[in-house]
Amino acid sequence: MASIGSLSFIVETTMENSVLLRSGNHRRPSFASLASQLRNFHDCGLNGSKFWCISPKVVSGEAFSGLSSNCEKMINGCGRVHPWRSKHLKATGKDSVEGKDGDESEDALQATIEKSKKVLAMQRDLLQQSREVRAGTEGVVLARIKKREQLGSVNMIAERKKLVSSIKNSIINTEEDLVSYNEKDNSLPNTDIVSTGGDHTDGDYTSRNLSDSYGHSTADQISETLPIVVSGGFDEGEKDTETNLPFEKVSTDAYPPKKFKETSLGQVSSDTMPSFLLRPSERFSLKDDKLEELTEQDGNGEEIVLNEDVKPPPLAGANVMNIILVAAECAPWSKTGGLGDVAGALPKALARRGHRVMVVAPRYGNYAEPQETGVRKRYKVDGQDVEVTYFQTYIDGVDFVFIDSHMFRHMENNIYGGNRVDILKRMVLFCKAAIEVPWYVPCGGTCYGDGNLVFIANDWHTALLPVFLKAYYHDNGLMKYTRCILVIHNIAHQGRGPVDDFLYVDLPQHYIDIFKLCDPVGGEHFNIFAAGLKMADRVVTVSHGYAWELKTSEGGWGLDGIINENNWKLKGIVNGIDTKEWSPQFDFHLTSDGYTNYSLETLQIGKPQCKAALQKELGLPVRENVPLIGFIGRLDHQKGVDLIAEAIPWMVDQDVQLVMLGTGRPDLEQLLRQFESQHRDKVRGWVGFSVKVAHRITAGADILLMPSRFEPCGLNQLYAMSYGTVPVVHAVGGLRDTVHPFDPFNESGLGWTFDKAETNRLIHALGNCLLTYREYRNSWEGIQRRGMMQDLSWDNAAQNYEEVLVTAKYQW
Ligand SMILES: Nc1ncnc2c1ncn2[C@@H]1O[C@H](COP(=O)(O)OP(=O)(O)O[C@H]2O[C@H](CO)[C@@H](O)[C@H](O)[C@H]2O)[C@@H](O)[C@H]1O
């Protein structure tokens, strides 16, 4: 059995703050004291959920196996592992170096902690002041003006340096000890500390760690200090679990925004590591100290903060957390509509704020980027064991994990296809497998862990996730600090079925009530969205307008009662757009076939060129001054295609061109074909799903029509506005929130709206739009420009999501 001895821990809390926690170099530390110190940090508000062990020193010894295994467990939950750990925790089976006086070390530990706390507080103040200087000045000159105000900072810097260097000395001692230890014996056994795959179908997380790595003594020791919890897993393997994860509260992850380079020894190269993950000796070396770089002496010998090159702390500040967005589709790999766009873009914006972010989606096809992780698990679905494997890739700061199973394979064109029970079973499997990804799937070397974790579930497909989180885990003392928010993109699809469908979700009988709903549409039935809304810690929907509509009997689709009861946890956040994908300036789909990229500056040349290219591609007469109207969307009742159908006779009398792109209900697809065949010189009905054509219509059309009966947010009008294409929309949900009507008196507004989903209203709004297009070119251009000048990026939305996630995290 592996035996690792006395440990020196350097524990970091956040990027801004570091805390040194040492257990003593040559003594036998008690696990209880170490654990209680860690808890102290947590309890005293130092945000223990981000503890980061970066330098465990191995001195080994049978007697310390309890400590080491608990620390290992703690570290496992931390997320990425510092090279020190990979390297030295391999040093199992070494001779013990016996400790000296326990109390002495205990005191030293305490003293160091006190010092570290001071450093931490000072750093906070300094950073705050530094930020204020940056915000209020434009560089060095103005920073100098502030120097008087910074006198306090200068003193603090000096004070802090003293403390840091005393801590640093301790670290150097520690490291020297370690070097001499390694020199004594460098034949480290090759024991990997991170599970990087292999067949794990037999073991669950807890039992594997306890029995494989730690042995009985560990379990015994844990049981003395921590509650024993019975697992409620959902496959046979899970039932073995008899012990809670002992360090959930402290062993949570820090924030690794970059992929770490792994050396051949499996160590992490520090040049790719965020500064806060570096050892204090690297960060605080007096010559290379970041603070040294930050400061400069002025003529009076006073130090001021100057250096603008130093990376700012994460935007999320102390709120950095692990976030896993779980969705049935994720662009660009899978997409049937707006959900795919959101799943592909929101996580990147959250990552830009400094969070560690993952997306989990089913693997419907053979995607190029994600690589097999080697991790395999089995989950019960309708009484059968179904094996899943996990694929992973890291793009734009986000880990994308895809769950592979025969149930998902080759479904890319039929994501929600099959009968009701087929879809339900797929979603049961997906949610069961997704929820354990943070335990089993290493990303960049380590798993996310469940301590500082919030899931973002989306629509009914993943509404089982908050239910499973409670029933399988929270109810059994597992994942205690993990939270789940649920996002409503479209309440019209709810996962309804007969009450007997409860059998498929494989939950304890008493959970049946949360799924039961009785409404005029379905009578008493089984409703997955209903259960998810009740169990989620917070609920978000994709616009303020839709948040309001959901609470009405017209907009709630039978769930308005539940939504009203849970109003306290509902918030509307308007979607953003992925400006990398959807920007006329950089749009990849505008680089060929006569299209061109354009910007606000080149609008008057670029957009007409795209229009001509589109007319040509569609086989319509290439005429610059004919208004070209576009429609893009799923063909169903929601999108109001029938309203367009009724308006077609009027439209074709107007000397306009119309192009409609969509798939969906066969009768509506047929309608599109019919429009085209009846008005070949004016109308094109493109039945199919083509991202390229969607981009090109958005760029080439003058007007985008969205007569949706309801629209939770709507992305196409956002894309349109950023391409200088003017939206004409039914003022509902997110369309009302985002398209402010044109006001000719004030030359304000972004498009035209109509307030009832009726054909004559649509015609009235579109008529005014066409009049302005033809007669008031300056006004038209003003509308285009205002649309293009908006900041529609995901960054604002991400900040709002972060607030919700933080609230969920601290919610009990
Ligand atoms: N035939 C086709 N070919 C190519 N691309 C096509 C296409 N049909 C649709 N698309 C694309 O799919 C996306 C549709 O997004 P929407 O937000 O308009 O609709 P959806 O109703 O699917 O989403 C739901 O979720 C989103 C996200 O929250 C909400 O904005 C919305 O109101 C809600 O109904 C756009 O990117 C669009 O270009």
Side-chain angles (χ1 to χ4, degrees):
M1 193 212 73
S3 59
I4 312 171
S6 173
L7 298 163
S8 291
F9 278 100
I10 298 158
V11 179
E12 293 213 352
T13 54
T14 69
M15 191 167 181
E16 299 170 29
N17 308 314
S18 68
V19 175
L20 175 67
L21 179 59
R22 300 180 63 212
S23 64
N25 293 334
H26 301 292
R27 61 174 291 268
R28 180 183 300 189
S30 82
F31 164 66
S33 77
L34 183 55
S36 86
Q37 290 303 339
L38 289 169
R39 284 205 200 90
N40 284 343
F41 274 97
H42 190 280
D43 295 344
C44 72
L46 294 179
N47 206 348
S49 58
K50 292 178 198 68
F51 282 126
W52 187 273
C53 298
I54 61 171
S55 181
K57 184 187 168 219
V58 179
V59 205
S60 93
E62 187 71 34
F64 307 135
S65 59
L67 169 62
S68 64
S69 50
N70 279 301
C71 289
E72 171 124 0
K73 197 169 261 301
M74 181 176 73
I75 294 162
N76 271 340
C78 277
R80 313 255 171 174
V81 179
H82 190 275
W84 283 78
R85 179 178 180 270
S86 325
K87 188 172 167 188
H88 300 301
L89 285 189
K90 287 175 182 171
T92 54
K94 298 289 147 228
D95 290 333
S96 167
V97 176
E98 267 305 323
K100 291 183 196 167
D101 182 335
D103 290 338
E104 226 177 84
S105 294
E106 215 45 74
D107 291 343
L109 168 66
Q110 197 55 45
T112 311
I113 290 167
E114 290 307 320
K115 280 182 195 172
S116 303
K117 281 184 191 171
K118 271 191 185 175
V119 173
L120 200 147
M122 283 177 181
Q123 269 186 271
R124 260 193 208 135
D125 287 346
L126 281 168
L127 273 158
Q128 183 55 32
Q129 287 177 27
S130 156
R131 275 196 211 115
E132 282 165 12
V133 169
R134 286 175 198 208
T137 64
E138 282 287 342
V140 175
V141 177
L142 288 175
R144 282 176 192 278
I145 296 169
K146 293 253 172 188
K147 70 186 176 188
R148 286 276 154 217
E149 291 152 41
Q150 289 185 311
L151 226 56
S153 319
V154 175
N155 294 337
M156 231 188 293
I157 289 169
E159 178 74 7
R160 180 186 165 281
K161 273 185 185 170
K162 263 195 255 162
L163 280 163
V164 168
S165 70
S166 85
I167 292 169
K168 188 178 165 254
N169 288 340
S170 317
I171 297 159
I172 289 165
N173 291 342
T174 308
E175 291 177 7
E176 278 167 7
D177 291 343
L178 186 59
V179 169
S180 60
Y181 166 75
N182 285 336
E183 279 169 2
K184 272 186 232 153
D185 185 350
N186 60 7
S187 58
L188 305 177
N190 189 16
T191 311
D192 266 337
I193 43 119
V194 179
S195 160
T196 51
D199 190 338
H200 299 312
T201 51
D202 297 331
D204 70 284
Y205 173 83
T206 314
S207 61
R208 193 171 71 238
N209 281 328
L210 285 176
S211 58
D212 296 353
S213 307
Y214 311 130
H216 317 296
S217 61
T218 307
D220 294 343
Q221 190 159 346
I222 292 167
S223 66
E224 277 170 34
T225 48
L226 294 157
I228 302 233
V229 183
V230 179
S231 159
F234 36 73
D235 60 16
E236 280 307 303
E238 304 303 325
K239 288 177 187 139
D240 299 341
T241 310
E242 289 188 345
T243 310
N244 190 6
L245 304 174
F247 274 102
E248 276 177 316
K249 194 165 183 181
V250 291
S251 67
T252 55
D253 192 26
Y255 131 90
K258 288 185 181 176
K259 230 181 164 42
F260 298 158
K261 269 189 209 156
E262 295 230 346
T263 67
S264 53
L265 295 172
Q267 295 179 6
V268 182
S269 155
S270 66
D271 64 351
T272 55
M273 291 176 76
S275 62
F276 75 102
L277 294 182
L278 299 178
R279 283 172 289 166
S281 56
E282 287 163 347
R283 293 182 68 196
F284 300 143
S285 139
L286 290 182
K287 273 280 165 233
D288 304 318
D289 191 343
K290 293 278 184 217
L291 267 186
E292 283 288 328
E293 289 171 18
L294 267 171
T295 60
E296 186 183 272
Q297 298 248 331
D298 71 1
N300 301 323
E302 291 169 355
E303 276 179 302
I304 52 172
V305 178
L306 293 176
N307 196 326
E308 297 291 318
D309 296 336
V310 176
K311 272 193 188 162
L315 292 169
N319 291 325
V320 288
M321 63 184 96
N322 296 338
I323 300 167
I324 301 183
L325 185 143
V326 184
E329 55 185 274
C330 176
W333 296 279
S334 51
K335 167 170 162 177
T336 68
L339 173 58
D341 285 356
V342 174
L346 168 62
K348 293 177 184 173
L350 288 166
R352 284 196 291 275
R353 295 191 59 76
H355 302 286
R356 190 182 185 194
V357 189
M358 183 197 293
V359 176
V360 181
R363 184 172 179 270
Y364 299 113
N366 293 326
Y367 307 141
E369 304 87 352
Q371 298 301 310
E372 192 161 2
T373 60
V375 178
R376 286 168 201 283
K377 291 292 293 172
R378 280 169 197 269
Y379 294 98
K380 281 241 181 316
V381 179
D382 193 21
Q384 304 285 315
D385 271 348
V386 181
E387 185 174 270
V388 298
T389 57
Y390 300 85
F391 287 65
Q392 188 262 353
T393 187
Y394 181 82
I395 296 170
D396 290 343
V398 176
D399 291 301
F400 291 90
V401 171
F402 295 92
I403 298 177
D404 183 68
S405 149
H406 73 87
M407 292 176 79
F408 303 133
R409 236 164 276 153
H410 311 306
M411 297 292 289
E412 58 264 60
N413 296 320
N414 201 18
I415 292 178
Y416 307 107
N419 65 35
R420 191 193 80 254
V421 172
D422 287 343
I423 308 170
L424 176 55
K425 286 194 215 167
R426 284 205 297 276
M427 296 313 159
V428 167
L429 174 68
F430 179 45
C431 290
K432 283 186 173 185
I435 212 165
E436 294 197 342
V437 166
W439 279 1
Y440 295 116
V441 182
C443 294
T446 47
C447 299
Y448 274 48
D450 60 35
N452 182 24
L453 177 66
V454 184
F455 282 104
I456 303 177
N458 295 278
D459 274 351
W460 81 264
H461 330 119
T462 46
L464 282 171
L465 206 139
V467 185
F468 288 169
L469 182 63
K470 170 140 188 7
Y472 294 140
Y473 303 91
H474 289 178
D475 285 359
N476 294 297
L478 297 167
M479 293 197 172
K480 280 193 287 192
Y481 305 101
T482 303
R483 299 287 175 265
C484 183
I485 72 163
L486 178 59
V487 184
I488 305 173
H489 298 268
N490 192 337
I491 203 77
H493 304 279
Q494 302 179 353
R496 285 172 173 244
V499 175
D500 286 350
D501 276 1
F502 180 70
L503 291 175
Y504 295 111
V505 295
D506 193 17
L507 285 164
Q509 190 59 31
H510 64 272
Y511 271 90
I512 194 167
D513 289 339
I514 63 162
F515 287 91
K516 276 189 190 165
L517 184 69
C518 191
D519 68 10
V521 185
E524 185 174 76
H525 67 280
F526 172 82
N527 192 306
I528 290 180
F529 223 150
L533 290 169
K534 290 176 197 165
M535 290 296 108
D537 294 295
R538 292 274 148 174
V539 177
V540 169
T541 191
V542 289
S543 70
H544 310 286
Y546 197 55
W548 182 86
E549 288 169 14
L550 284 171
K551 289 178 262 182
T552 65
S553 53
E554 298 80 18
W557 291 66
L559 291 175
D560 41 298
I562 292 169
I563 291 168
N564 275 301
E565 281 161 27
N566 290 277
N567 188 31
W568 62 272
K569 62 182 179 187
L570 175 69
K571 182 174 169 131
I573 301 176
V574 176
N575 287 332
I577 68 178
D578 185 341
T579 46
K580 228 170 132 187
E581 281 289 308
W582 289 93
S583 140
Q585 210 172 347
F586 305 111
D587 193 325
F588 169 76
H589 303 289
L590 305 183
T591 55
S592 54
D593 302 330
Y595 292 86
T596 184
N597 290 116
Y598 61 93
S599 64
L600 197 57
E601 288 69 40
T602 56
L603 172 69
Q604 297 310 325
I605 304 161
K607 194 161 173 65
Q609 189 178 326
C610 289
K611 178 173 171 178
L614 180 64
Q615 288 168 326
K616 197 167 161 222
E617 185 172 3
L618 296 173
L620 289 168
V622 179
R623 292 173 53 204
E624 187 174 347
N625 290 324
V626 64
L628 176 48
I629 304 167
F631 168 92
I632 303 163
R634 288 180 294 103
L635 301 179
D636 69 11
H637 176 80
Q638 173 190 349
K639 300 296 179 183
V641 184
D642 51 321
L643 298 181
I644 300 180
E646 286 169 16
I648 286 265
W650 173 84
M651 265 194 247
V652 292
D653 274 355
Q654 300 298 310
D655 188 21
V656 297
Q657 293 177 344
L658 172 68
V659 53
M660 298 180 72
L661 169 68
T663 48
R665 256 172 47 189
D667 59 323
L668 295 175
E669 288 184 349
Q670 187 48 37
L671 208 58
L672 254 61
R673 293 191 188 98
Q674 190 187 315
F675 295 158
E676 178 170 326
S677 64
Q678 286 172 351
H679 310 281
R680 288 205 65 80
D681 57 333
K682 290 189 173 173
V683 180
R684 287 291 171 274
W686 189 310
V687 176
F689 196 94
S690 167
V691 172
K692 181 173 86 176
V693 176
H695 279 250
R696 289 178 167 184
I697 291 176
T698 306
D702 298 298
I703 298 160
L704 188 86
L705 202 48
M706 288 186 74
S708 308
R709 288 208 157 68
F710 66 95
E711 196 60 81
C713 176
L715 293 171
N716 286 320
Q717 84 280 9
L718 302 180
Y719 301 147
M721 288 189 283
S722 70
Y723 280 66
T725 303
V726 175
V728 175
V729 304
H730 177 209
V732 70
L735 295 175
R736 193 205 316 253
D737 284 9
T738 56
V739 181
H740 304 295
F742 171 59
D743 175 354
F745 302 107
N746 294 312
E747 287 294 339
S748 65
L750 301 161
W752 277 265
T753 61
F754 50 100
D755 56 13
K756 269 200 174 140
E758 291 172 1
T759 308
N760 59 341
R761 310 272 177 143
L762 184 161
I763 289 173
H764 184 255
L766 187 57
N768 284 334
C769 172
L770 294 174
L771 179 71
T772 309
Y773 175 87
R774 291 197 176 103
E775 307 289 335
Y776 302 94
R777 294 301 297 177
N778 286 343
S779 293
W780 185 261
E781 198 182 321
I783 297 168
Q784 287 181 302
R785 289 186 173 279
R786 283 191 292 277
M788 291 178 82
M789 279 158 55
Q790 297 176 94
D791 176 6
L792 297 173
S793 73
W794 269 105
D795 292 335
N796 291 334
Q799 194 172 353
N800 289 323
Y801 268 90
E802 185 181 291
E803 276 173 27
V804 176
L805 295 167
V806 169
T807 319
K809 181 177 151 185
Y810 292 110
Q811 188 170 304
W812 289 87

